[in-house]
């Protein structure tokens, strides 16, 4: 049989790889949907600060594998060191990689408050956006406090509290744009505090958090196995992945969710709008805009394939 012309062979190989990559992305979306279902069962009182304080009983400033293991063992579960490492890696893939310190944080086998926030906060929530935008745990504490204990100005969105001396009158004036509006957040009457004053988690809350951790550990392992399976395909390397990226982005520097939706339809792969939104949360930068090549590669290559390059960008962490 006559061999295929080189150009046609390359086109067919690119199509096969594109479909395999889209299939892997679809599986990522399904795994993320499973995590969101587990998050929905966690009681509202289990805030990131409360969960962090409950697990970090020694006040080390981070959660170790021993802390996570202690929680899971209370409810008949278990987590190995490798499973905890997988949790850390998968959570860090959800970081805003606008932060240059994120690549350094990938190699630390511990969970910060920001990591716990990504584990707990539902996709698309204001709290999750605050987690991704925060550059330190202290900055996140401030952001979460303001979200719970202030209201946004309807004109400029600046966060505003009402002075306790004006408790009888709900009308306030925004100090930024001078818009008058009704505000029901009174200074000194917090709806949620810092982690040092957070009440202990209930037994039901601890159980659901342990369940979420167990679910996330399993899903983190599944996600990494999918990346490794994808890496075994012929032509799958940085160049091959770049070809798939270019087919999605066209002449642009990044691709949008609309581009991704169109690609799934063209290749006959089912994807719900919810799953598409979860892929946007996973791949998209917190600053908005299209998915870049670095965002794309980071989510699809096995951790070992790009860890060395990422750690070369390391910076001191405050």
């Amino acid at each position: 049989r006559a061999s295929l012309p080189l150009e046609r062979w390359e086109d067919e190989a690119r199509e096969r790889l594109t479909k395999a990559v889209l299939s892997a992305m679809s599986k990522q979306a399904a795994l993320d949907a499973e995590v969101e279902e587990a998050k929905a069962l966690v009681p509202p009182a289990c805030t990131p600060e409360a969960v962090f304080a409950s697990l970090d009983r020694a006040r080390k400033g981070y959660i170790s594998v021993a802390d996570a293991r202690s929680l899971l063992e209370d409810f008949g579960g278990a987590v190995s060191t490798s499973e905890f490492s997988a949790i850390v890696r998968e959570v860090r893939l959800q970081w805003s990689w606008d932060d240059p310190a994120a690549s350094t944080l990938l190699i630390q086998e511990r969970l910060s408050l920001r990591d716990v926030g990504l584990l707990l906060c539902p996709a698309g929530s204001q709290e999750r956006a605050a987690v991704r935008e925060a550059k330190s745990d202290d900055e996140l504490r401030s952001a979460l406090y303001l979200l719970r204990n202030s209201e946004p100005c309807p004109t400029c969105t600046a966060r505003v509290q009402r002075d306790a001396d004006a408790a009888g009158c709900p009308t306030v004036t925004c100090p930024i744009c001078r818009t008058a509006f009704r505000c029901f957040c009174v200074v000194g009457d917090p709806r949620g505090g810092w982690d040092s004053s957070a009440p202990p988690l209930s037994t039901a809350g601890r159980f659901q958090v342990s369940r979420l951790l167990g679910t996330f550990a399993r899903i983190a392992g599944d996600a990494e196995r999918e990346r490794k399976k994808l890496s075994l395909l012929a032509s799958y390397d940085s160049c091959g992945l770049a070809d798939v990226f270019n087919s999605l982005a066209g002449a642009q520097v990044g691709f949008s969710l609309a581009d991704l939706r169109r690609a799934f339809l063209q290749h006959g792969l089912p994807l719900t709008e919810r799953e598409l939104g979860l892929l946007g949360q996973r791949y998209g930068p917190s600053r908005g805009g299209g998915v870049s090549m670095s965002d794309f590669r980071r989510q699809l290559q096995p951790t070992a394939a790009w860890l060395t390059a990422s750690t070369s960008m390391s910076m001191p962490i405050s």
Side-chain angles (χ1 to χ4, degrees), residues 62-112:
Y62 61 87
I63 294 170
S64 66
V65 62
D67 298 324
R69 186 176 291 141
S70 176
L71 174 66
L72 268 71
E73 287 176 351
D74 285 347
F75 298 97
V79 61
S80 67
T81 301
S82 62
E83 287 171 332
F84 185 77
S85 297
I87 292 174
V88 174
R89 289 194 298 268
E90 194 67 24
V91 169
R92 297 280 162 79
L93 287 175
Q94 300 175 36
W95 268 57
S96 167
W97 283 72
D98 306 3
D99 182 356
S103 58
T104 306
L105 290 168
L106 184 67
I107 61 173
Q108 294 189 359
E109 304 307 314
R110 57 182 65 176
L111 292 170
S112 67

Side-chain angles (χ1 to χ4, degrees), residues 66-305:
D67 298 324
R69 186 176 291 141
S70 176
L71 174 66
L72 268 71
E73 287 176 351
D74 285 347
F75 298 97
V79 61
S80 67
T81 301
S82 62
E83 287 171 332
F84 185 77
S85 297
I87 292 174
V88 174
R89 289 194 298 268
E90 194 67 24
V91 169
R92 297 280 162 79
L93 287 175
Q94 300 175 36
W95 268 57
S96 167
W97 283 72
D98 306 3
D99 182 356
S103 58
T104 306
L105 290 168
L106 184 67
I107 61 173
Q108 294 189 359
E109 304 307 314
R110 57 182 65 176
L111 292 170
S112 67
L113 175 62
R114 286 175 285 175
D115 297 324
V116 172
L118 286 171
L119 273 168
L120 287 172
C121 297
S125 65
Q126 287 184 310
E127 290 80 4
R128 185 182 177 86
V131 173
R132 296 197 77 201
E133 291 169 5
K135 301 302 183 187
S136 68
D137 283 1
D138 286 341
E139 185 177 322
L140 176 59
R141 288 186 179 95
S142 297
L144 292 175
Y145 177 85
L146 286 174
L147 277 176
R148 299 186 191 113
N149 301 294
S150 65
E151 294 184 24
C153 168
T155 301
C156 70
T157 71
R159 307 298 303 192
V160 177
Q161 286 180 319
R162 182 153 51 94
D163 194 285
D165 294 337
C169 177
T171 301
V172 299
T173 300
C174 175
I176 306 299
C177 67
R178 311 306 296 172
T179 297
F181 66 100
R182 292 165 67 87
C183 174
F184 296 94
C185 287
V186 179
V187 176
D189 184 25
R191 300 173 185 175
W194 306 87
D195 59 353
S196 60
S197 61
L201 299 183
S202 66
T203 301
R206 285 174 57 81
F207 170 73
Q208 292 299 345
V209 171
S210 73
R211 183 176 178 273
L212 175 60
L213 273 175
T215 299
F216 202 90
R218 174 176 55 79
I219 283 174
D222 289 346
E224 186 66 9
R225 280 188 288 275
E226 286 298 322
R227 295 186 189 101
K228 290 177 179 177
K229 282 168 56 179
L230 197 57
S231 73
L232 296 176
L233 288 177
S235 303
Y236 183 74
D237 53 24
S238 292
C239 294
L241 203 55
D243 287 338
V244 177
F245 177 83
N246 290 333
S247 73
L248 294 172
Q252 305 301 315
V253 295
F255 63 83
S256 66
L257 290 187
D259 296 326
L260 194 56
R261 181 190 295 110
R262 183 164 51 252
F264 272 95
L265 289 173
Q266 288 173 347
H267 289 83
L269 296 172
L271 192 74
T272 67
E273 284 300 308
R274 180 178 182 234
E275 290 171 336
L276 184 67
L278 289 173
L279 286 178
Q281 291 280 324
R282 172 182 279 272
Y283 283 79
S286 65
R287 64 186 179 278
V291 177
S292 69
M293 177 60 191
S294 59
D295 297 324
F296 187 66
R297 179 175 63 86
R298 186 164 41 245
Q299 294 291 345
L300 288 168
Q301 285 189 314
T303 303

